[in-house]
Amino acid sequence: MKIRKATQQDAPHIAKVHVDSWRSTYRNIVPDTYLEKLDYDHRTKLWERNMTSNSVFVAENNDSEIVGFSTGGKEREGKYEGYDGELYAIYIFEEYQGKGIGKLLVQPVAEALLQTGINTMLVWVLEDNDAKNFYASLGGQKLGHAELEIDGEKLKETAYGWSNLSQFVKEG
């Protein structure tokens, strides 16, 4: 497995991972009406824009196919004082989950934040998403909860935070 910084040419592949992993991960969590509306072209354009302002990393399998991605940057909501960085997204094709790729994708986001002088990070995860166990296993501490609405359905999400990214990166 190879982890590298994404390029503009990766946008369609990232979009495919994004759409397909949303559909598999959030089935029975997020309304089907929302999942059915997800569109590769729209997500490709979104990722073309995102690459200019965020750190985006991809995981490639042995055939050089993108099977996952992560992205992060400055924390966006300011709900948790002292948490200045955010892991915005990490998605991996379902068949590649549980193989250690997620940890490999979080690492460069943390390193990129450290390079900009940010030593803390949080991530938001839907409460019904088993990924919450992944973040806890990486040392993320529960910070609190929030509610969001997707296609008219109220969903609960939890923030997990790391108060020392230097230590996180060091432990690898």
Side-chain angles (χ1 to χ4, degrees), residues 46-168:
L46 172 84
W47 284 106
E48 287 170 348
R49 285 190 308 272
N50 282 348
M51 291 225 227
T52 61
S53 58
N54 301 325
S55 296
V56 182
F57 301 92
V58 294
E60 290 181 332
N61 66 13
N62 293 337
D63 296 324
S64 298
E65 298 166 330
I66 293 174
V67 299
F69 73 91
S70 61
T71 183
K74 288 184 156 271
E75 197 276 329
R76 299 174 285 191
E77 295 186 17
K79 287 186 177 182
Y80 297 99
E81 191 171 329
Y83 287 87
D84 301 321
E86 183 174 350
L87 176 62
Y88 300 145
I90 178 170
Y91 291 105
I92 302 166
F93 282 138
E94 186 173 31
E95 60 269 26
Y96 286 90
Q97 293 175 12
K99 300 178 186 296
I101 300 167
K103 186 173 183 179
L104 294 174
L105 282 167
V106 173
Q107 194 77 13
V109 171
E111 290 169 359
L113 289 170
L114 284 169
Q115 289 172 2
T116 64
I118 295 174
N119 192 40
T120 57
M121 176 176 76
L122 62 75
V123 64
W124 287 98
V125 60
L126 290 174
E127 186 61 33
D128 291 337
N129 182 351
D130 289 337
K132 64 186 177 196
N133 301 320
F134 166 71
Y135 298 118
S137 76
L138 291 181
Q141 301 296 309
K142 269 189 192 179
L143 301 176
H145 301 282
E147 192 175 84
L148 79 153
E149 189 173 313
I150 297 178
D151 254 18
E153 190 170 321
K154 292 186 186 306
L155 303 170
K156 189 175 181 182
E157 58 183 353
T158 302
Y160 287 83
W162 292 265
S163 60
N164 187 339
L165 286 182
S166 297
Q167 186 67 31
F168 176 81

Side-chain angles (χ1 to χ4, degrees), residues 34-51:
Y34 182 82
L35 297 176
E36 290 164 6
K37 287 188 274 185
L38 293 174
D39 176 85
Y40 296 122
D41 291 335
H42 172 74
R43 292 290 163 166
T44 296
K45 290 177 180 124
L46 172 84
W47 284 106
E48 287 170 348
R49 285 190 308 272
N50 282 348
M51 291 225 227

